[in-house]
Amino acid sequence: MDWMAWTLPTAIFFGVIALLLLTFTVLAIRFPETPRTGILRIETTRGDRLFITLLGSAFINLAWLGLVGADQWYALILCLIYAVAVFRWV
Amino acid sequence: MNKTINQKAWFLVLPVLVLVAFSAVIPLMTVVNYSVQDTFGGNQFFWAGLEWFDELLHSERMWDALGRQLAFSAIILAIEVPLGIFVALNMPKKGFWASLCLVLMSLPLLIPWNVVGTIWQIFGRVDIGLLGHTLDKLGISYNYTQDFLAAWATVIVMDVWHWTSLVALLAYAGLQSIPDAYYQAAKIDQASRWKVFRYIELPKMQGVLMIAILLRFMDSFMIYTEPFVVTGGGPGNATTFLSIDLVKMALGQFDLGPAAAFSLMYFLVILLISWVFYTVMTNLDKRDGL
């Protein structure tokens, strides 16, 4: 795997994403759900909301890096707030 | 009837999963790994953190390329969509001429990108190209290798030539699906041609037009080969769109770290647009009860 140039942070990053996908798959099997319509006026399932959260988080991190620059960890806190909002209202 | 629950069919999906992992997921993971490191070749990497992302977010070069890219997509959409609708409205509805039109309209769509690029590269040349030579004889100064406006005009006209057919064919399919009863009702109401278009044809074409707009946006946003063959991104950087800039960075300068960060940001934008595309399409389908 040398050619993939792994680092610990990126390994943790992918590990977390894999874990999230696994958790949501298990959740979907154990607790099936019906899609619901939120403030975006589109039907979403838990998986859709996870996707919206992850994609939005990427943009939040980039915006933080571009506009604020320092203390990237605060962007992560912002992402968590965003995640809660997405799962609550979208 | 009782159905037995059997999940074994999921194993049939495995080959696809393996293929996608091999061709897309693992390379993408490698790009993520590259984006936070620096390398001087020899498979030796040094940790750089978010440096490349930071550098790119503050680099005029990337924002300029993004600006040019958005401008290009906006211009070709503004031309191709109305023109495509106009062509579709004027195409014969049935018979020999309809078939002939359909075949002729499909022709540009069948030509590979690099060939289209080469055709226009030669067509526009002042010394041997028909277009370039004619414009020159008419006294119009036209040189796409030196003049920024000529270069832009050439890439835009080339894209319009290549892809308006797609919009026209989709719009034509939308028009064909309108039942005659709508037109008869409009005739009884003595609706004008404009009103027939505005209240019957346009709403009925909404679904296919949405597909056309989103397809054309995505395609033009990722365009590489045609402008690369015609102008090579020049004059200067005038037609250096995102993908051309990315290739310059990755393969020309061999800056793998910044190029990886660039690709990831590019990928995020494409992912966002694809998601919007998918969501809009599925919601339109649901609304239409498909």
Side-chain angles (χ1 to χ4, degrees), chain B residues 150-166:
Chain B
W152 266 80
T154 311
V155 258
I156 286 167
V157 173
M158 173 174 62
D159 198 84
V160 169
W161 177 85
H162 195 184
W163 291 109
T164 303
S165 299
L166 179 79

Side-chain angles (χ1 to χ4, degrees), chain A residues 57-76 78-79, chain B residues 35-36 48-59 63 261 265:
Chain A
S57 300
F59 280 102
I60 291 175
N61 268 294
L62 282 179
W64 187 279
L65 189 62
L67 300 173
V68 185
D71 302 318
Q72 198 65 24
W73 289 107
Y74 287 115
L76 192 65
L78 205 62
C79 289
Chain B
S35 72
V36 289
L50 294 174
E51 198 183 317
W52 304 134
F53 289 95
D54 195 23
E55 199 180 287
L56 282 168
L57 283 169
H58 293 101
S59 99
W63 289 109
M265 289 195 263

